[in-house]
Coordinates of all heavy atoms in Angstrom, one line a residue:
M1416 N 7.6 9.5 9.0 CA 7.3 8.5 7.9 C 8.5 7.8 7.4 O 8.4 6.9 6.6 CB 6.7 9.3 6.7 CG 5.3 10.0 7.0 SD 4.7 10.8 5.6 CE 3.4 11.8 6.4
A1417 N 9.7 8.2 7.9 CA 11.0 7.6 7.4 C 11.1 6.2 7.8 O 10.7 5.8 8.9 CB 12.2 8.5 7.8
D1418 N 11.8 5.4 6.9 CA 12.1 4.0 7.4 C 13.4 4.2 8.2 O 14.0 5.3 8.4 CB 12.3 3.1 6.2 CG 13.4 3.6 5.2 OD1 14.3 4.3 5.6 OD2 13.2 3.2 4.0
A1419 N 13.9 3.1 8.7 CA 15.1 3.1 9.6 C 16.3 3.7 9.0 O 17.0 4.5 9.6 CB 15.3 1.7 10.2
D1420 N 16.5 3.3 7.7 CA 17.7 3.8 7.0 C 17.7 5.3 6.8 O 18.7 6.0 7.0 CB 17.9 3.1 5.7 CG 18.3 1.6 5.9 OD1 18.8 1.3 7.0 OD2 18.1 0.8 4.9
D1421 N 16.5 5.8 6.4 CA 16.4 7.2 6.1 C 16.4 8.0 7.4 O 16.9 9.2 7.4 CB 15.1 7.5 5.3 CG 15.3 7.0 3.8 OD1 16.4 6.8 3.4 OD2 14.2 6.8 3.1
R1422 N 15.8 7.5 8.4 CA 15.9 8.2 9.7 C 17.3 8.3 10.2 O 17.8 9.4 10.6 CB 15.1 7.5 10.8 CG 15.1 8.2 12.1 CD 14.2 7.5 13.1 NE 12.8 7.7 12.8 CZ 12.1 8.8 13.2 NH1 12.7 9.8 13.9 NH2 10.8 8.9 12.8
A1423 N 18.1 7.3 10.0 CA 19.5 7.3 10.4 C 20.3 8.3 9.5 O 21.1 9.1 10.0 CB 20.1 5.9 10.3
A1424 N 20.0 8.3 8.2 CA 20.6 9.3 7.3 C 20.3 10.7 7.7 O 21.2 11.6 7.6 CB 20.2 9.0 5.9
W1425 N 19.1 10.9 8.1 CA 18.7 12.3 8.5 C 19.4 12.7 9.8 O 19.9 13.8 9.9 CB 17.2 12.4 8.7 CG 16.7 13.6 9.3 CD1 16.1 13.8 10.5 CD2 16.7 14.9 8.6 NE1 15.8 15.2 10.7 CE2 16.1 15.8 9.5 CE3 17.1 15.4 7.4 CZ2 16.0 17.2 9.2 CZ3 17.0 16.7 7.1 CH2 16.4 17.6 8.0
E1426 N 19.4 11.8 10.8 CA 20.0 12.2 12.1 C 21.5 12.3 12.0 O 22.1 13.0 12.8 CB 19.6 11.1 13.1 CG 18.1 11.1 13.4 CD 17.7 10.0 14.3 OE1 18.5 9.1 14.5 OE2 16.5 10.0 14.8
N1427 N 22.2 11.6 11.1 CA 23.6 11.6 11.0 C 24.2 12.3 9.7 O 25.3 12.1 9.3 CB 24.2 10.2 11.0 CG 23.7 9.5 12.3 OD1 24.2 9.8 13.4 ND2 22.9 8.5 12.1
L1428 N 23.4 13.2 9.2 CA 23.7 13.8 7.9 C 24.9 14.8 8.0 O 24.9 15.6 8.9 CB 22.5 14.6 7.4 CG 22.6 15.3 6.0 CD1 22.9 14.3 4.9 CD2 21.4 16.2 5.8
D1429 N 25.9 14.6 7.2 CA 27.0 15.6 7.0 C 26.6 16.7 6.1 O 26.1 16.3 4.9 CB 28.2 14.9 6.5 CG 28.8 13.9 7.6 OD1 28.8 14.3 8.8 OD2 29.3 12.9 7.2
L1430 N 26.8 17.9 6.4 CA 26.3 19.0 5.6 C 27.4 19.5 4.6 O 27.8 20.6 4.5 CB 25.8 20.2 6.5 CG 24.6 19.9 7.4 CD1 24.3 21.0 8.3 CD2 23.4 19.5 6.5
G1431 N 27.8 18.5 3.8 CA 28.7 18.8 2.7 C 28.0 18.9 1.4 O 26.8 18.9 1.3
Y1432 N 28.8 19.1 0.3 CA 28.3 19.1 -1.0 C 27.7 17.7 -1.4 O 28.1 16.7 -0.8 CB 29.4 19.4 -2.0 CG 29.8 20.9 -2.1 CD1 31.0 21.2 -1.6 CD2 29.0 21.8 -2.6 CE1 31.5 22.6 -1.6 CE2 29.4 23.2 -2.7 CZ 30.6 23.5 -2.2 OH 31.0 24.8 -2.2
T1433 N 26.7 17.8 -2.3 CA 26.1 16.5 -2.8 C 26.4 16.4 -4.3 O 27.0 17.3 -4.9 CB 24.6 16.5 -2.6 OG1 24.0 17.6 -3.3 CG2 24.3 16.6 -1.1
Q1434 N 26.1 15.3 -4.9 CA 26.4 15.1 -6.3 C 25.5 16.0 -7.2 O 24.3 16.2 -6.9 CB 26.2 13.6 -6.6 CG 27.1 12.7 -5.9 CD 26.8 11.2 -6.3 OE1 26.5 10.9 -7.5 NE2 27.0 10.3 -5.4
T1435 N 26.1 16.5 -8.3 CA 25.3 17.3 -9.2 C 24.1 16.6 -9.7 O 23.0 17.2 -9.8 CB 26.2 17.8 -10.3 OG1 27.3 18.5 -9.8 CG2 25.4 18.7 -11.3
F1436 N 24.2 15.4 -10.0 CA 23.0 14.6 -10.5 C 22.0 14.4 -9.4 O 20.8 14.2 -9.7 CB 23.4 13.3 -11.1 CG 23.7 13.3 -12.6 CD1 25.0 13.3 -13.1 CD2 22.6 13.3 -13.5 CE1 25.2 13.3 -14.4 CE2 22.9 13.3 -14.9 CZ 24.2 13.3 -15.3
G1437 N 22.4 14.5 -8.2 CA 21.5 14.3 -7.1 C 21.9 13.1 -6.2 O 22.7 12.2 -6.7
D1438 N 21.4 13.0 -5.0 CA 21.7 11.9 -4.1 C 21.3 10.6 -4.8 O 20.1 10.5 -5.3 CB 20.9 12.1 -2.9 CG 20.8 10.8 -2.0 OD1 21.8 10.2 -1.8 OD2 19.7 10.5 -1.6
P1439 N 22.2 9.6 -4.9 CA 21.8 8.4 -5.6 C 20.6 7.7 -5.1 O 19.8 7.1 -5.8 CB 23.1 7.5 -5.4 CG 24.2 8.5 -5.3 CD 23.6 9.6 -4.5
L1440 N 20.4 7.7 -3.7 CA 19.2 7.0 -3.2 C 17.9 7.8 -3.5 O 16.8 7.2 -3.6 CB 19.4 6.9 -1.7 CG 20.5 5.9 -1.3 CD1 20.6 5.8 0.3 CD2 20.2 4.5 -1.8
L1441 N 18.0 9.1 -3.6 CA 16.9 9.9 -4.0 C 16.5 9.6 -5.4 O 15.3 9.5 -5.8 CB 17.2 11.4 -3.8 CG 16.1 12.4 -4.4 CD1 14.7 12.2 -3.8 CD2 16.6 13.9 -4.2
R1442 N 17.5 9.6 -6.3 CA 17.3 9.3 -7.7 C 16.7 7.9 -7.9 O 15.8 7.7 -8.7 CB 18.6 9.4 -8.5 CG 19.1 10.8 -8.5 CD 20.6 10.8 -9.0 NE 20.6 10.5 -10.4 CZ 21.8 10.0 -11.0 NH1 22.9 9.8 -10.3 NH2 21.8 9.8 -12.3
K1443 N 17.1 7.0 -7.0 CA 16.5 5.6 -7.1 C 15.0 5.7 -6.7 O 14.2 5.0 -7.3 CB 17.3 4.7 -6.1 CG 16.8 3.2 -6.1 CD 17.7 2.4 -5.2 CE 17.3 0.9 -5.2 NZ 16.0 0.7 -4.5
A1444 N 14.7 6.4 -5.6 CA 13.3 6.5 -5.1 C 12.5 7.2 -6.2 O 11.3 6.7 -6.5 CB 13.3 7.3 -3.9
I1445 N 13.0 8.2 -6.9 CA 12.2 8.8 -8.0 C 12.0 7.8 -9.1 O 10.9 7.7 -9.7 CB 12.9 10.1 -8.5 CG1 13.0 11.2 -7.4 CG2 12.3 10.6 -9.8 CD1 13.9 12.3 -7.7
A1446 N 13.1 7.1 -9.5 CA 13.0 6.2 -10.6 C 12.0 5.1 -10.3 O 11.3 4.6 -11.3 CB 14.3 5.5 -10.9
E1447 N 11.8 4.7 -9.1 CA 10.8 3.7 -8.7 C 9.4 4.1 -8.9 O 8.5 3.2 -8.8 CB 11.1 3.2 -7.3 CG 12.4 2.3 -7.2 CD 12.8 1.9 -5.8 OE1 12.1 2.5 -4.9 OE2 13.7 1.2 -5.6
T1448 N 9.1 5.4 -9.1 CA 7.8 5.8 -9.4 C 7.5 5.7 -10.9 O 6.3 5.9 -11.4 CB 7.6 7.3 -9.0 OG1 8.3 8.2 -9.9 CG2 8.0 7.5 -7.6
F1449 N 8.5 5.3 -11.7 CA 8.3 5.1 -13.2 C 8.3 3.6 -13.5 O 8.7 2.7 -12.6 CB 9.5 5.7 -14.0 CG 9.5 7.2 -14.0 CD1 9.9 7.9 -12.9 CD2 9.0 7.9 -15.1 CE1 9.9 9.3 -12.9 CE2 9.0 9.3 -15.1 CZ 9.5 10.0 -14.0
E1450 N 8.0 3.2 -14.7 CA 8.0 1.8 -15.1 C 9.3 1.5 -15.8 O 9.9 0.3 -15.7 CB 6.8 1.5 -16.0 CG 5.5 1.5 -15.3 CD 4.4 1.0 -16.2 OE1 4.7 0.5 -17.3 OE2 3.2 1.2 -15.8
H1451 N 9.9 2.4 -16.6 CA 11.0 2.1 -17.5 C 12.2 3.0 -17.2 O 13.1 3.1 -18.0 CB 10.6 2.2 -18.9 CG 9.4 1.3 -19.3 ND1 9.5 -0.1 -19.2 CD2 8.2 1.6 -19.7 CE1 8.4 -0.6 -19.6 NE2 7.5 0.4 -19.9
V1452 N 12.2 3.8 -16.2 CA 13.2 4.7 -15.8 C 14.1 4.2 -14.7 O 13.6 3.6 -13.7 CB 12.6 6.1 -15.4 CG1 13.7 7.0 -14.8 CG2 12.0 6.8 -16.6
E1453 N 15.4 4.3 -14.9 CA 16.4 3.9 -13.9 C 16.9 5.1 -13.1 O 16.8 6.2 -13.6 CB 17.5 3.1 -14.5 CG 17.1 1.9 -15.3 CD 16.4 0.8 -14.4 OE1 16.7 0.7 -13.2 OE2 15.6 0.0 -15.0
A1454 N 17.6 4.9 -12.0 CA 18.1 6.0 -11.2 C 19.1 6.8 -12.1 O 19.1 8.1 -11.9 CB 18.8 5.4 -10.0
E1455 N 19.8 6.2 -13.0 CA 20.8 6.9 -13.8 C 20.1 7.8 -14.8 O 20.7 8.6 -15.5 CB 21.7 6.0 -14.5 CG 21.0 5.0 -15.5 CD 21.9 4.0 -16.1 OE1 23.0 3.8 -15.5 OE2 21.5 3.4 -17.1
D1456 N 18.8 7.7 -15.0 CA 18.0 8.5 -15.9 C 17.4 9.8 -15.2 O 16.6 10.5 -15.9 CB 16.8 7.7 -16.5 CG 17.3 6.5 -17.2 OD1 18.4 6.5 -17.9 OD2 16.6 5.4 -17.1

């Protein structure tokens, strides 16, 4: 189900630490399910 960018991210993922707040692109995807919430929220 992944788009081209997310498939590339999955196939080339480095297994290091991630940000405490969470992956910025994941936070953006979550925020897009809201009307008034931004990724930084």
Side-chain angles (χ1 to χ4, degrees):
M1416 299 179 193
D1418 59 29
D1420 289 342
D1421 287 341
R1422 180 177 289 276
W1425 174 248
E1426 293 174 349
N1427 300 291
L1428 181 65
D1429 290 323
L1430 297 176
Y1432 286 108
T1433 62
Q1434 298 182 31
T1435 300
F1436 268 104
D1438 165 51
L1440 293 178
L1441 172 59
R1442 295 167 69 201
K1443 180 176 183 291
I1445 293 168
E1447 287 175 351
T1448 70
F1449 290 79
E1450 291 186 12
H1451 303 297
V1452 166
E1453 304 295 334
E1455 63 185 18
D1456 302 323

